[in-house]
Amino acid sequence: MNQVTPLAPEKSSLAESVHRRIRDDIYDFRMMPGQRYSESELANRFGVSRTPLRLALHMLAREGYLIKGDGHAAWQVRPLDLDYFHDLYDLRVNLELIAIRRICRADPFPDFAAQRAFWLVPEEQRNLDGQAVAAADEALHAAFVANAGNAEMARVHRDITERIRVIRRLDFIEPARIVAAFEEHAKLLRALIARKQERAEMLLKAHIDASRAEIRHLTLHRLAEAARQHTQPALRRERQS
């Protein structure tokens, strides 16, 4: 029976590096939704050989960022379907509402010390770095579901988190939204700790709805900006020819 030879540690590390670089290019719309690439193009673009590149591409495909094309070495950035993300947000809300109901009945009550240490601090002590706030936001919502006591529910929630990250991170670019995130999360945490289930549910839905609306607006804006940046060099070349 044939055995799969594992990648050497240095190649595995290189694949992880390429994975992050491609994902960042997708996040920042340097690789546009719907765009198709060959493996040779990507190998040249990122300066790597095919083996670590293919591992990175398959990782990104499993995470929902890329689609394997019909050709042997063809790949496509997943087209941006806002209705698809809307459905994922609906599923996420319902999972977290179930989690809140379970947490409010939990005995003993879960320990949210790490979350309180980030979100329930005086205004002057807040960490306003967008990336840090985005990571803390994910950790808080993951902690809600993790403390619901259902491993399969937590697994599904992790999968949804991975899939919406490509647009969700946009909610932590504008300073006003970062400040709003602190206010919204602080109210939600306090309601949950006080076991005020109905208030916590209301605050959760309002928080995610506001986030979803802002993300939709910013996604469309960033797409339009990226499209203009892609077309400007082509227009300049046409004028020069």
Side-chain angles (χ1 to χ4, degrees):
M1 184 174 67
N2 293 332
Q3 292 185 341
V4 177
T5 303
L7 283 178
E10 63 274 13
K11 287 189 177 180
S12 178
S13 176
L14 183 56
E16 291 171 2
S17 173
V18 175
H19 169 271
R20 287 193 298 271
R21 291 168 63 193
I22 295 175
R23 189 183 60 191
D24 287 345
D25 276 4
I26 293 172
Y27 278 173
D28 293 326
F29 299 121
R30 291 188 292 269
M31 293 174 65
M32 293 287 287
Q35 187 71 41
R36 298 177 185 274
Y37 296 92
S38 68
E39 286 184 6
S40 59
E41 284 180 281
L42 293 170
N44 290 331
R45 178 177 179 141
F46 295 100
V48 294
S49 64
R50 294 287 185 90
T51 300
L53 174 68
R54 283 175 180 160
L55 179 57
L57 294 174
H58 283 287
M59 290 166 63
L60 289 158
R62 284 197 301 271
E63 293 166 357
Y65 297 114
L66 295 177
I67 299 171
K68 184 74 173 71
D70 294 333
H72 174 65
W75 295 83
Q76 181 186 31
V77 179
R78 180 180 290 278
L80 200 58
D81 181 353
L82 290 176
D83 288 337
Y84 163 76
F85 288 108
H86 181 85
D87 290 345
L88 289 178
Y89 266 87
D90 277 349
L91 181 54
R92 175 194 164 197
V93 168
N94 282 291
L95 288 174
E96 293 187 21
L97 287 173
I98 294 170
I100 281 175
R101 291 165 197 149
R102 291 189 173 202
I103 289 169
C104 286
R105 297 195 301 267
D107 186 18
F109 192 79
D111 178 13
F112 289 111
Q115 288 72 37
R116 286 156 55 178
F118 187 89
W119 297 107
L120 302 183
V121 294
E123 188 173 340
E124 64 275 10
Q125 295 179 20
R126 290 173 177 174
N127 183 344
L128 300 179
D129 175 74
Q131 290 187 349
V133 176
D137 171 75
E138 279 196 12
L140 175 65
H141 290 273
F144 291 159
V145 182
N147 282 289
N150 186 313
E152 186 61 16
M153 194 165 79
R155 183 196 65 76
V156 172
H157 189 267
R158 283 194 300 271
D159 181 63
I160 294 170
T161 298
E162 286 286 342
R163 292 177 183 274
I164 66 176
R165 187 177 292 137
V166 67
I167 62 168
R168 181 181 181 181
R169 68 188 184 87
L170 294 175
D171 199 27
F172 305 101
I173 292 176
E174 298 294 332
R177 278 301 304 159
I178 291 174
V179 171
F182 270 95
E183 299 296 333
E184 293 165 8
H185 284 131
K187 290 177 183 177
L188 175 55
L189 257 178
R190 289 190 178 104
L192 192 60
I193 292 167
R195 298 182 188 258
K196 296 180 178 179
Q197 179 183 319
E198 290 186 5
R199 176 165 172 75
E201 289 181 22
M202 186 236 352
L203 289 168
L204 175 74
K205 287 188 283 190
H207 163 65
I208 293 180
D209 283 347
S211 176
R212 175 162 45 186
E214 182 67 13
I215 286 168
R216 185 180 185 92
H217 167 74
L218 286 171
T219 299
L220 293 173
H221 175 71
R222 291 289 294 273
L223 273 174
E225 287 291 316
R228 276 196 291 271
Q229 291 173 10
H230 276 263
T231 56
Q232 283 172 357
L235 288 173
R236 282 196 295 268
R237 286 194 296 270
E238 284 180 15
R239 289 174 188 144
Q240 293 167 358
S241 60

